[in-house]
Amino acid sequence: MGPVGLTTHSGGFDPQREDPHKHLKEFHVVYFTMRPQGIPKDYIKMKAFPFSFDGAAKDWLYLQRVLFNTWGDMKHIFLEKFFPASKTATIKKEIYGIRQQSGETLHEYWERFNKLCATCPHHQISEQLLIQYFYKGLSMMDKSMIDAASRGALMDKTLAIARHLISNMASNTQQFGIKGPSQSWMVNEIGAASNLRLENQLSKLTSLVRQLAVG
């Protein structure tokens, strides 16, 4: 039994049911609530971290023959074991090719995108590329709405402004209940005969969108 309150959830970390990056974040939260004074913080982390393990993770730790010299070493080997390079590559591939799903609202798509990026904090993809991948994966309708709000220059804006604009629009579409395009809508709207109607619909949305973007 480890120190009281040290496990980050019932039973401690088990790779079968928890993301290792999330576990590290929760461990830091618990650590800062119980950190004794006058003792080096890395020493405490190294001594306390094993008590937050369970199942296969605990078995793996006890089988280690190499002693961890620093907290950085322990954290690195932990992530190397439970978040291997192959998993990082898979998530990066998902980020590169992310697409807004049929019926998915802008808010839902933005939230899913941010959660995906958060599952791999060390993806090493620049913020500019992240915004580009998100924008590229937008549905035609939501892309047009963002183009209208940014006056067709989203990628010319600073990263902070671009992210704020998207976040603000996503929040407002959730508040006003603006739904994402359904598969039938997208199929019916494709083709030269419907382009004019689509343009008319989008032009009517433009004033609303600009209000949402700055609201």
Side-chain angles (χ1 to χ4, degrees):
M1 182 73 176
V4 176
L6 190 57
T7 55
T8 57
H9 56 71
S10 178
F13 173 74
D14 189 323
Q16 298 298 320
R17 62 174 184 256
E18 187 182 7
D19 176 78
H21 286 288
K22 180 181 179 182
H23 179 74
L24 279 172
K25 288 181 180 180
E26 293 180 349
F27 173 75
H28 278 288
V29 171
V30 174
Y31 159 77
F32 278 112
T33 64
M34 57 171 289
R35 176 185 172 186
Q37 297 298 316
I39 303 176
K41 61 180 182 179
D42 282 2
Y43 175 83
I44 299 173
K45 289 179 182 178
M46 291 177 65
K47 293 297 183 182
F49 195 49
F51 289 106
S52 70
F53 286 13
D54 197 8
K58 181 173 288 187
D59 294 339
W60 165 80
L61 181 66
Y62 288 143
L63 289 174
Q64 295 305 299
R65 296 182 179 180
V66 179
L67 294 177
F68 302 110
N69 295 318
T70 67
W71 164 244
D73 289 342
M74 178 178 278
K75 184 169 65 172
H76 173 75
I77 294 175
F78 168 74
L79 289 175
E80 192 175 63
K81 169 63 179 179
F82 297 109
F83 206 102
S86 58
K87 188 172 182 179
T88 298
T90 297
I91 293 177
K92 289 176 71 171
K93 187 176 181 180
E94 290 180 20
I95 294 174
Y96 297 152
I98 193 165
R99 293 291 183 273
Q100 188 174 6
Q101 299 172 355
S102 173
E104 186 176 38
T105 66
L106 177 61
H107 175 266
E108 291 167 344
Y109 175 49
W110 179 237
E111 190 173 64
R112 179 166 63 88
F113 175 76
N114 285 320
K115 285 182 178 179
L116 177 61
C117 294
T119 61
C120 186
H122 58 291
H123 53 62
Q124 296 182 325
I125 303 173
S126 70
E127 185 71 13
Q128 183 176 13
L129 283 176
L130 288 176
I131 295 296
Q132 287 182 11
Y133 294 141
F134 173 83
Y135 176 79
K136 183 179 179 181
L138 282 165
S139 68
M140 181 171 60
M141 182 174 180
D142 280 336
K143 185 178 292 184
S144 296
M145 290 173 65
I146 287 181
D147 285 345
S150 64
R151 300 185 184 277
L154 178 69
M155 301 314 301
D156 291 335
K157 298 185 181 300
T158 66
L159 296 176
I161 291 177
R163 178 170 279 275
H164 176 74
L165 185 147
I166 295 171
S167 181
N168 203 35
M169 287 188 65
S171 178
N172 281 308
T173 55
Q174 180 191 32
Q175 179 182 351
F176 288 98
I178 300 176
K179 301 295 184 181
S182 65
Q183 187 65 36
S184 60
W185 184 91
M186 289 189 288
V187 171
N188 291 334
E189 291 300 318
I190 292 176
S194 62
N195 283 344
L196 180 59
R197 183 167 68 256
L198 177 59
E199 290 176 3
N200 289 335
Q201 290 174 342
L202 291 175
S203 65
K204 291 178 182 179
L205 285 172
T206 299
S207 59
L208 171 62
V209 168
R210 287 177 177 166
Q211 291 177 15
L212 293 178
V214 298

